[in-house]
Amino acid sequence: MARTGFPGFVLGIALLLQAGLVSAAPLVAWAKLTPAQQEILRPVAAEWDTLPNKLQKNLLYAAKRYPALTPEEKQRFNVKLEKWSKLTPEQRKRAREKFQAFSKVPEAEREKVKQMVREQEAKKAETAAAASSVPPAAPSP
Amino acid sequence: MNQKLQPEHIQQMLDNSLEQIGPSTLARLRHAREQALARHDAASPASGWAAKWHFDTPHYKFRYFAVATVFAAVLFSGMTYWQHVHEATEVDVAILTDELPIEVYVD
């Protein structure tokens, strides 16, 4: 038993280190974030303290990348962040897989899909605008 | 005369010889042993941790190899994991800044 001591000890330390890194860092409380991080992650402020550890880490990484984004990308990031955080881990995993698969589609095909989505979005916006401009029906006597 | 000695016979003979050793001889043997051990400890700097962890055994090379292999395996799996995590976070940023809405990738 004693003869396996050192390799066992080394293996134990190595596995502990790895486990520590993998499960890594406890949840980061919203109050502990820097003002800059809070500003970027404001769309998820309310639910931040309940988000899974892994998602918090991903979002903190995204916050680090944020200053380098274009204004348009920042706008999209702000709009999508809350919705992204509300997905289940399985949905996020599927979304990553689909995104990566879509990235491999030829540019022309991707552009067609994007055009289609743009048209749908425009139609939705039109419908919403029309619905909000229609005056409420007068109550019948 | 050519009778083959069995291990039990040898053991018996050694036990008998041991009983015949006088106290002064035993004392000299003990003293010689202590001196030899003292010389060995002084001459062997590896008698500390190496002895404790058995790196001074004839199999120490194998032990070094085993430990190095374990370290390499743990290091490799750790690096693979972190690469995977890094890729996932890069994809997250790409999705969040992409022109297409999230629903396209979720449904």
Side-chain angles (χ1 to χ4, degrees):
Chain A
M1 187 67 192
R3 282 183 168 267
T4 58
F6 190 68
F9 171 75
V10 170
L11 179 62
I13 292 288
L15 289 176
L16 272 176
L17 270 174
Q18 196 173 353
L21 287 171
V22 168
S23 66
L27 295 173
V28 187
W30 177 259
K32 293 270 171 77
L33 299 184
T34 65
Q37 286 172 325
Q38 287 185 349
E39 184 57 36
I40 294 165
L41 300 171
R42 191 158 302 285
V44 290
E47 63 265 29
W48 176 264
D49 288 338
T50 62
L51 294 180
N53 179 319
K54 199 176 167 190
L55 181 58
Q56 280 193 353
K57 276 193 288 182
N58 284 8
L59 294 182
L60 285 173
Y61 174 79
K64 210 182 280 182
R65 291 274 319 276
Y66 188 86
L69 300 178
T70 65
E72 201 179 4
E73 286 172 334
K74 283 180 183 172
Q75 170 67 22
R76 290 175 193 154
F77 182 93
N78 296 340
V79 171
K80 290 179 178 181
L81 187 55
E82 191 181 353
K83 202 172 281 178
W84 182 248
S85 72
K86 288 204 161 83
L87 298 180
T88 65
E90 187 53 37
Q91 284 176 316
R92 278 192 291 271
K93 185 169 174 261
R94 287 279 303 136
R96 286 185 198 112
E97 287 166 359
K98 277 192 179 181
F99 179 84
Q100 283 175 312
F102 185 62
S103 304
K104 287 174 189 154
V105 171
E107 178 65 37
E109 295 293 316
R110 270 190 290 161
E111 195 46 48
K112 272 187 203 167
V113 175
K114 284 182 183 178
Q115 188 55 40
M116 212 167 68
V117 173
R118 273 183 220 124
E119 285 168 11
Q120 280 178 358
E121 293 290 312
K123 211 174 278 179
K124 259 193 229 172
E126 266 176 37
T127 314
S132 63
S133 64
V134 172
S140 52
Chain B
M1 284 303 280
N2 288 335
Q3 187 188 356
K4 200 175 175 184
L5 284 173
Q6 296 298 320
E8 310 84 65
H9 296 145
I10 297 171
Q11 190 183 352
Q12 183 76 45
M13 285 162 69
L14 286 173
D15 286 348
N16 291 341
S17 305
L18 190 66
E19 284 162 12
Q20 288 164 11
I21 295 174
S24 65
T25 311
L26 279 176
R28 289 213 310 278
L29 282 170
R30 187 179 298 115
H31 180 65
R33 180 177 179 275
E34 282 166 2
Q35 279 189 326
L37 281 176
R39 276 199 300 275
H40 174 75
D41 285 349
S44 168
S47 60
W49 68 270
K52 190 174 179 188
W53 298 111
H54 307 285
F55 273 89
D56 57 348
T57 66
H59 304 297
Y60 74 95
K61 277 185 185 167
F62 171 75
R63 287 176 185 278
Y64 276 126
F65 178 74
V67 170
T69 306
V70 168
F71 254 128
V74 171
L75 194 68
F76 177 75
S77 61
M79 281 170 67
T80 309
Y81 173 81
W82 281 109
Q83 193 178 356
H84 170 75
V85 168
H86 181 70
E87 276 173 14
T89 48
E90 283 292 342
V91 173
D92 284 12
V93 174
I95 292 172
L96 288 168
T97 55
D98 188 54
E99 186 187 341
L100 295 179
I102 288 175
E103 291 79 7
V104 172
Y105 302 113
V106 175
D107 300 326

